[in-house]
Structure formats: structure tokens, C-alpha cells
Amino acid sequence: MLLRENRVFAVAVGGEPKDLSVMGRMGAGELEDIEGLTFSSTAGKAVYRHSASHILAHAVKELFPDAKLAIGPATAEGFYYDFDIHVPFTPADLEAIEKRMLELIKKNSPFIRKEISKTEAAEIFGRMGETYKAELLQDIASGETVSIYEEGGFVDLCRGPHVPNTGRIKAVKLLSIAGAYWRGDEKRKMLQRIYGTAFDSKEELKKYLEFLEEVKKRDHRKLGRELDLFSINEEIGAGLILWHPNGAIIRKTIEDFWRDEHLKADYKLLFSPHMARLDLWRKSGHWDFYRENMYSPMEVEGMEYEIKPMNCPFHLAVYKSGLKSYRDLPVRYAELGTVYRFERSGVLHGLMRVRGFTQDDAHIFAREDQLEGEILNILDFTLFILNTFGFEEYDVYLSTRPEKYVGSPENWELATKALRLALEAKGLKYDIDPGEGVFYGPKIDIKVKDSLGRAWQCSTIQVDFNNPERFDVSYRGTDGKEHRPIMIHRALMGSLERFFGILIEHYAGDFPLWLAPAQVEVLTIAERHIEFAGSVSAALRKEGIRVQENFENEKIGYKIRHSAMRKVPYSVIIGDKETESGGAALSARKKNGESIGPFPIAGLIDFLTEEIKTRR
RNA sequence: GCCGGGGUAGCUCAGUGGCAGAGCAGCUGAUUCGUAAUCAGCAGGUCGUGGGUUCAACCCCCAUCCCCGGCUCCA
């Protein structure tokens, strides 16, 4: 039986995680339903890391007896524990705490579960001065008893389960210190949070730390500067992006691709202004529901105007500018619309979280009978676009009706069903996020998995029952009467800025040829080769290939290194051989050192244009 | 916004209550070289910004802006 393996440190009884020790108290019949928990399962990881967080708390209490305990759960990547402490922790404290943790692990103290009455627990934690635990106790409504865990003399209120003893934790690492509000509520006290992670072996921990290194190396802010892609300038303002030539050419390439594909998919392209009268935003409901993300209005000739946080009202206005018949539907409007949203200074982050960004927005007005088909179209289209950028794995979520909503329950049901059927027709696995829909309709969110396996939310498909009502949009049906179309909002990449940030990290700055700012660099061996090299780069440039020249007076090794570090996909070296043969035999070098060719110039052009065309 | 850590040359980063530094990048010159760094020289700074303490502040104090790690929220 699996349980005999020493990899098992807890069990699940009927899916419920329990301490390993429950085995001894079970009858033979009950053992059927039992499953060993190891580090390979999500539930197992949580038990393991939660145990590590207890050890963290234990170590902190020993070193800082004044610290009060708050909560210490496992997270997806590790664990944390929140403490109320007068003087914030320093990085040196972190090292000392980690050292103490290793000592506690070495002691191999058993985790002992006790069930006691709530009043008894209140008494214990009250005596210990653990006010946060006391508050937690009050909120545990169900049942008269609670469980506490003791390990090496350290007692904590805890549902459990835990690993059998502290020595079971094989590898642990404290990672960072951060402030965090008690219960995530900014009106309450700011606590000190220590983040850490734990693994079942030193090798796994090492691999994880390497992963963190890799994440750091790929940081789009770092690569953005190194590759001269974009910048953010204090003088211009926080959260506002300057696209440099290298970034701008990538954006232009993405935009061209996006527009071309939208036209092929029978969307109509729109452009709309960056501001509009405040009355428009009152009508759309944004001023009521979204004001905290909007900037203050500005006055123009006695009238108030507002910079746009969204594109939808403009698209509605275009729709309404003429009568629509059922024959016109579905109407698909798409725009790369730049919006501005207020974000608190503390949340801004490179390209990922900014104050001005361009949405790849579209609004589709459809008849009820077209809804499912349209959603299916959008899903297909979305996956095609995401695929082109090398994203092949997705996490899909279907969000259903929240507590506060507009529209009729019947409509919600209809739309949710259409979303679900479309997902199923595509054979996409999805999770339901109950009650997480927007107030105006249900939605599908797609998170892409990047090359490091990290999930990023990009695409969203939202049904909207609200705006068609508010703006009184309609179409003339076969019966000659006015009908209300259903509106779908959707974005594929979400925001160009954010998507660009994700792409930078996904590719680690090594953009595929079709996106690379400079696609080829022509390098000369010596001064006498400059003239011919110039003719080679001119020939490539004439074919629309982005060429860069390095005719500097440097050794070829230096130029190759420079080119590779700037992540230029190909370099062509021009020396005596090439010059003498008049370009009959050109070879190119990939940035990793692999060589292609030799080709005549035309052959090199064909090779490159083919790779560009296929967007590999 | 809040808690903590930061801001010194284009970049990465030393530094100290008493003359502002290094490497890389840049410029100039020499070298003319075949697949990831040739050599030498030069230049580069309101030490984030504003105020204060001091004979003297990059350093200490206050304020402010921005950045980083989180909290909350989201594209």
C-alpha cells in the first residue's frame, strides 16, 4: 500500500485531508476510503507548507517573543505567516529566523493535535496575549470544539492537518518580507508578512530557486531597458509608457497582424476619441460604478469632459448612428483603443500594470440566436491569435452571476449557457468561478501559460445586458418591430502594453523573427568589405527585412557577441570570401551560433521572408 | 493609498560629516583582424527634488516625487 512509502506524510479520508495519525484510530472497513498525501499533489503541498509556516511562527516566537501571531497559510508557491511586531523584520532577521527554523526541524518534534473547547482555547490564547488568534476564534462559528497543534512546545490554533513531525520538512527557504493588512483590510492594522517556500527535497528547492532566478532574468523591465524597447519617465508620469523604436516596431507588427486578421474575420475597424463629455459616462454607468478608476473631469467651455477609461460607449454610439436591421447583425466593431485608468501608485508595475494602455477591444452586437455562434467564433479567433504568439496552454474560467447584477435571470441563464456550450463545443476544459461575473453579464476569461508555466490573464469575453438597455440600442426584426441586440465585449490580448510585457518574458527577449526589432545584422570583417556589405543590407532592406549594420572597426568576435547580446536573430558576415564571390555564397549565423546557408543573396532573402511569413 | 527597502555617470553598482569612484557602454586614436569582449587615451555627475542642521551634507533631519517587494484591485 502507498501509505507505507515514506513519501506519504498525511492522508485524505474521503477527500478530506487528515493527519497521518488518524490511521491508528480507524477501523479496517474505513481504510478503503483513504488516500496517501504526498508532495506531488496540491493538497499534499499545502499540508507540507502549512507545517513549514508553523515552524516559521515557532522560530519567530523564539527570537521575537513580543511578536503576535496572525495567520500563516500555504500559498500556491509556498507559505507565509503574518506577525504583529513593533519593529519590522530586516533581511538579517530573515536569515536568523531561517537558521532557527532549521534547528527546529532538526529536533524532529512531533506535531500533536488536540481538540479542545472554544472557551478553553480562548482562555489559552488569551493568556498568551494572542489577540489575533482570539479574534479568529470568535469567528469560528461552527462547532463547540476547535483544534490546536503543538510542536516542540509551540502551540497554534489550526485546523490542520500537519506532517507527523518537524523533521519531515526537507527543504525550506524564507524569501521576502512585506507589509500586509490584517485580514486584507486596509482599514485595519498593517502586519509584517514573511514569505517562504518549502519542498520535499533540497533538489526541488534548488530547482525552484533557479526558476526564480530565471524569472528575474526575464523581467520585462530589465529586458526592456537592455533591448531598448520602452521606458517610463518620471517627468512624464508614473504608469505611462514610452515605446522606443525597438518596442514600437514590435507593436506595429502586432497591430498590423491584429488588424489584418480582424478584417479577415469580418470585423469593422473603428477609431474613437480619447475623451468625451461626462454625460456620456453618466449614461453608460461608468461614472456611478467605475469612478474610482477614472480621472477627474476637465472643464471645456463650461462643459465637463472625461478622459476615457473604456471604449464601449463610443462603439455603442457608432452602432446607434444608423438604423440596424436583423440582416446587419452580427455587427462586429474592433478598435485598438487607448484608455486611461487611475491606479494607485503602489500597484504600478512596468508594462504589466499602467495608467494608460491600449486595449485590443471589440464589441459585437448579435441577435439571441447568433449568440452561441459568435462566442464560438470569438473563442476560435482568440486561440488562433494567442497561438501565433507561442501560447499553447490555457486556463479557462467561466464566471457566473454575482449577487449584484442587472438584467433578468432568464437572460443570464441564456448567456451563461451559450458561453458554456461554446466552451464545450471547442472541447476546452474550464473551471467555473461562481458569482465572479461582472454586474452586467457572465464572462469567459482565458489565462495563457507562458514558457515558464506562469499563467497570465489576457483574454476576456463578456456578455453585456446593461449597455444595450442604457443606450437603448436596437435592430429592426423580421416582424418589423424593434428588438434589443445582445452585446459582447471582448479583448484577446487585453492590453497591448501588458501583452508586450508578457511576450518579453515569455520569449526572454528572444523574439521570433517576425517580431524581432532587428531581424538581421550585417557584420564586416575589415574596412575593405564595407561597400559590398552595404549592398547586401540594402538588398535585404528592399525586401522589407529589418536590417542593421555593424561596420565598426572591431574584431568579428566582438561584433558577433554584440549582435547576440542584442538578440538579433541572424547575422551575416561579410569578408573576403563573400565579397570576392559577389554574394553568390552568403551564410548567416543564428544568434545561438548555428549557421544557415550558404545561399546566393536571393536565397537568403527567401529563407528569411519564409520564416517571417510563417511567424515561427 | 498603506508597510518595508531604495534613488550616486547611459547601464550595473562601490563609497564617506572634509577633493565624487569602478566596470560596461560612449567618444578619439592605433590595429584591418573569419564566428561571443584588441589595445591606449579622453570625456562623462546639481549624488531624485525642495528645505533644514553644520565651518562643511551625497552622507544627519523634514517634506516631496519616483522605483522595488507586498497588501487591495485588475488589462
Side-chain angles (χ1 to χ4, degrees):
Chain A
M1 188 180 179
L2 186 63
L3 291 177
R4 293 200 190 283
E5 292 182 30
N6 65 4
R7 292 180 58 236
V8 173
F9 47 71
V11 291
V13 182
E16 191 79 11
K18 300 273 186 200
D19 290 324
L20 207 52
S21 59
V22 299
M23 299 276 300
R25 297 198 293 274
M26 292 176 86
E30 293 173 288
L31 290 172
E32 298 290 306
D33 198 23
I34 209 160
E35 186 195 346
L37 283 181
T38 69
F39 197 76
S40 53
S41 71
T42 312
K45 277 190 181 75
V47 168
Y48 193 92
R49 288 169 171 164
H50 183 200
S51 302
S53 96
H54 270 240
I55 299 169
L56 165 61
H58 186 172
V60 167
K61 282 298 269 190
E62 288 197 350
L63 296 169
F64 304 88
D66 292 344
K68 287 187 193 178
L69 304 175
I71 52 165
T75 62
E77 307 260 288
F79 61 87
Y80 64 81
Y81 212 111
D82 288 346
F83 304 93
D84 185 2
I85 185 165
H86 294 102
V87 183
F89 296 114
T90 65
D93 292 338
L94 219 56
E95 273 179 49
I97 295 166
E98 189 179 299
K99 204 171 145 228
R100 182 58 62 95
M101 286 177 75
L102 295 177
E103 286 163 17
L104 295 171
I105 287 168
K106 217 168 178 184
K107 282 189 183 162
N108 203 18
S109 320
F111 275 95
I112 299 159
R113 178 190 177 92
K114 280 190 197 131
E115 293 190 13
I116 57 176
S117 70
K118 266 173 74 171
T119 42
E120 198 182 337
E123 202 264 314
I124 293 174
F125 290 110
R127 177 152 33 88
M128 288 160 62
E130 297 290 1
T131 48
Y132 295 93
K133 294 295 175 191
E135 186 180 333
L136 287 173
L137 262 175
Q138 279 176 9
D139 294 356
I140 303 174
S142 63
E144 282 307 296
T145 63
V146 294
S147 56
I148 55 171
Y149 277 78
E150 187 259 313
E151 153 270 307
F154 170 76
V155 177
D156 198 357
L157 173 70
C158 181
R159 192 182 297 128
H162 281 290
V163 298
N165 35 53
T166 59
R168 190 62 192 76
I169 305 297
K170 301 296 179 198
V172 68
K173 176 90 189 160
L174 297 184
L175 298 168
S176 60
I177 314 157
Y181 299 103
W182 170 233
R183 301 199 147 177
D185 180 349
E186 62 184 79
K187 291 189 194 68
R188 307 188 73 166
K189 184 146 193 194
M190 174 73 68
L191 307 173
Q192 295 298 313
R193 174 171 298 179
I194 296 181
Y195 281 94
T197 193
F199 285 87
D200 202 18
S201 69
K202 293 212 161 53
E203 294 71 52
E204 284 171 283
L205 174 64
K206 192 169 160 240
K207 257 173 47 197
Y208 178 73
L209 295 177
E210 281 164 6
F211 163 80
L212 291 183
E213 280 304 304
E214 185 61 30
V215 166
K216 225 172 172 178
K217 257 194 258 168
R218 288 173 182 238
D219 191 316
H220 71 283
R221 294 164 301 185
K222 180 172 175 276
L223 288 170
R225 191 168 40 239
E226 284 171 7
L227 303 176
D228 202 9
L229 301 172
F230 70 93
S231 66
I232 300 167
N233 184 317
E234 191 175 331
E235 220 174 341
I236 288 164
L240 302 171
I241 305 301
L242 291 168
W243 295 71
H244 293 201
N246 287 342
I249 194 71
I250 294 176
R251 173 165 171 165
K252 189 253 181 207
T253 308
I254 294 172
E255 287 188 358
D256 287 350
F257 168 66
W258 186 93
R259 289 202 177 93
D260 290 348
E261 293 304 326
H262 275 75
L263 291 173
K264 283 189 210 162
D266 203 20
Y267 281 77
K268 310 295 179 204
L269 300 179
L270 302 183
F271 292 96
S272 62
H274 284 215
M275 55 190 247
R277 290 174 53 188
L278 184 57
D279 287 338
L280 179 77
W281 304 106
R282 288 205 174 96
K283 189 169 173 185
S284 68
H286 288 107
W287 192 240
D288 289 330
F289 292 104
Y290 204 68
R291 194 184 312 187
E292 61 176 30
N293 284 295
M294 294 167 71
Y295 292 97
S296 313
M298 55 192 132
E299 202 205 279
V300 182
E301 292 183 321
M303 224 180 273
E304 287 183 299
Y305 281 76
E306 175 66 37
I307 192 158
K308 68 171 168 181
M310 295 208 187
N311 301 302
C312 6
F314 300 94
H315 291 200
L316 283 152
V318 175
Y319 180 95
K320 282 195 65 167
S321 67
L323 288 178
K324 296 286 181 292
S325 117
Y326 71 95
R327 295 178 214 269
D328 298 320
L329 267 46
V331 169
R332 307 186 187 97
Y333 291 144
E335 176 181 10
L336 293 166
T338 304
V339 297
Y340 294 86
R341 299 182 185 174
F342 172 70
E343 297 285 357
R344 299 198 288 180
S345 58
V347 306
L348 298 173
H349 181 91
L351 294 171
M352 301 300 189
R353 193 70 183 273
V354 296
R355 285 184 173 155
F357 60 98
T358 302
Q359 289 185 306
D360 68 318
D361 214 353
H363 296 92
I364 294 153
F365 299 88
R367 305 190 308 259
E368 226 170 80
D369 62 290
Q370 294 171 323
L371 183 60
E372 195 189 321
E374 277 308 300
I375 291 170
L376 206 52
N377 272 342
I378 296 170
L379 275 178
D380 264 326
F381 194 50
T382 306
L383 297 184
F384 161 68
I385 299 282
L386 295 177
N387 246 295
T388 305
F389 293 98
F391 297 113
E392 272 146 27
E393 277 185 73
Y394 315 98
D395 288 337
V396 183
Y397 299 88
L398 174 60
S399 300
T400 57
R401 198 178 73 200
E403 277 174 33
K404 265 179 69 185
Y405 65 96
V406 298
S408 67
E410 296 75 50
N411 270 339
W412 273 85
E413 184 45 41
L414 177 98
T416 309
K417 194 175 154 204
L419 293 175
R420 202 173 48 233
L421 288 176
L423 285 171
E424 274 154 22
K426 281 297 295 172
L428 282 171
K429 271 202 206 141
Y430 62 94
D431 290 322
I432 292 190
D433 262 350
E436 287 299 306
V438 201
F439 73 92
Y440 52 70
K443 62 170 179 172
I444 292 173
D445 288 325
I446 299 175
K447 292 187 180 183
V448 300
K449 289 263 191 76
D450 73 7
S451 55
L452 292 184
R454 297 173 300 173
W456 302 94
Q457 151 122 46
C458 293
S459 317
T460 183
I461 304 168
Q462 309 180 347
V463 180
D464 182 349
F465 302 120
N466 182 44
N467 274 306
E469 290 286 337
R470 283 178 173 267
F471 284 85
D472 190 27
V473 294
S474 62
Y475 66 89
R476 194 61 60 93
T478 47
D479 54 5
K481 294 189 181 131
E482 297 286 312
H483 296 265
R484 190 78 76 206
I486 296 177
M487 182 173 172
I488 306 168
H489 304 245
R490 55 106 275 213
L492 310 180
M493 301 183 275
S495 122
L496 287 182
E497 284 74 8
R498 182 180 148 86
F499 193 72
F500 185 38
I502 294 167
L503 283 185
I504 294 169
E505 302 204 354
H506 175 58
Y507 290 124
D510 279 319
F511 293 102
L513 193 64
W514 72 291
L515 291 174
Q519 296 171 316
V520 182
E521 187 159 17
V522 178
L523 313 177
T524 46
I525 300 276
E527 244 168 78
R528 61 180 177 281
H529 307 123
I530 289 178
E531 194 188 339
F532 179 67
S535 74
V536 171
S537 58
L540 294 173
R541 188 172 293 117
K542 211 174 127 205
E543 298 301 321
I545 294 166
R546 297 190 286 270
V547 197
Q548 174 170 298
E549 294 171 338
N550 187 347
F551 298 167
E552 266 176 54
N553 183 3
E554 283 292 347
K555 286 164 73 165
I556 194 67
Y558 176 90
K559 294 187 200 180
I560 284 170
R561 179 183 153 81
H562 195 253
S563 177
M565 289 205 316
R566 298 296 300 269
K567 302 190 191 290
V568 181
Y570 290 101
S571 48
V572 179
I573 294 159
I574 305 296
D576 285 338
K577 270 188 297 189
E578 289 74 15
T579 308
E580 279 155 23
S581 71
L586 293 180
S587 46
R589 179 189 194 285
K590 280 196 187 185
K591 62 186 163 235
N592 64 8
E594 209 177 301
S595 84
I596 56 160
F599 310 100
I601 289 189
L604 178 63
I605 289 169
D606 285 349
F607 178 90
L608 294 170
T609 45
E610 176 64 19
E611 189 174 329
I612 291 167
K613 214 170 64 198
T614 53
R615 304 196 181 94
R616 273 183 285 129

